[in-house]
Amino acid sequence: MSRAPVALILGFGPGISFHFADILVQNGYVVAVAARNREKVEPLASSIGARPFVADASSIESIQNLFTEVDAQLGAPEVVLFNPSARVRGDFVTIDPSAAAVSNQVATGGFVFAQEAARRMLPNKRGAIFFTGATASVKGFAKSSVFAMGKFALRGLAQSLARELSPEGIHVAHFIIDGSVRSEGGDDDFTGKNIAKSYFATLQQPPGAWSWELELRSKDEKF
């Protein structure tokens, strides 16, 4: 009897990542979810039957340890989502350079996260590596230089990995979240639940027609 597939989400919270984890659990995945704060992760995870872990997306060692722990407790993940952001706003000339450094650390965290995932997926020539982006991934807004810097870097990483890993059977996808995500609403609203459904639909794409990037917005969003 084959074991259930394992998924791992870093940057877990009550929005997109929560609903994506919930969908994965409902579809037979064993889902590991991780964030820095155990007190916030555990109740959310238990409410959907996910397995909570603690990890810091800005720490190389913490991410590597996360994969080691998930391997030991659940098995190597076949689907992973890198969901963290370093959101800093302010006048460019007054932003503390240390804030920019944190943004770079989170982008590097995306690299390490994807690297650890790919090392486990390549021997089997299958898997999926997803990244949550933002409008700032493709458009740098005023007073949002640090956020744009990190998101541009993550998008470049995803594009490069899609070209390198797709021929090896690994689906790399970057999602541009173009709009303010609502916590509640119906099918017409830009909610974390609706966005997560699009993530899962992407996961189900056949290898003959993969998307490497999707722009997601509500039908009413101006663009």
Side-chain angles (χ1 to χ4, degrees), residues 37-179:
N37 190 317
R38 182 179 297 277
E39 289 70 28
K40 292 182 179 179
V41 171
E42 287 184 341
L44 283 174
S46 64
S47 71
I48 56 173
R51 311 290 182 88
F53 291 81
V54 176
D56 183 352
S58 65
S59 166
I60 293 172
E61 183 179 8
S62 181
I63 294 170
Q64 292 172 334
N65 289 341
L66 170 64
F67 274 86
T68 300
E69 291 174 12
V70 172
D71 284 348
Q73 296 185 34
L74 307 177
E78 298 178 21
V79 175
V80 300
L81 169 63
F82 187 78
N83 194 62
S85 291
R87 189 180 294 272
V88 177
R89 285 186 58 82
D91 295 327
F92 178 69
V93 296
T94 61
I95 292 175
D96 188 332
S98 63
V102 171
S103 179
N104 285 334
Q105 289 168 359
V106 173
T108 301
F111 171 89
V112 176
F113 184 79
Q115 186 180 64
E116 291 295 318
R119 285 172 173 167
R120 289 158 173 79
M121 295 173 183
L122 280 169
N124 297 317
K125 290 191 174 294
R126 70 172 185 271
I129 301 173
F130 287 179
F131 299 90
T132 297
T135 311
S137 302
V138 293
K139 183 178 181 180
F141 291 94
K143 302 183 186 299
S144 191
S145 55
V146 173
F147 186 50
M149 183 169 63
K151 285 301 185 183
F152 265 70
L154 200 66
R155 180 177 187 259
L157 171 66
Q159 187 179 78
S160 179
L161 294 183
R163 292 190 166 110
E164 180 174 348
L165 298 178
S166 291
E168 303 299 324
I170 299 171
H171 188 182
V172 179
H174 176 255
F175 297 86
I176 298 173
I177 307 304
D178 188 22

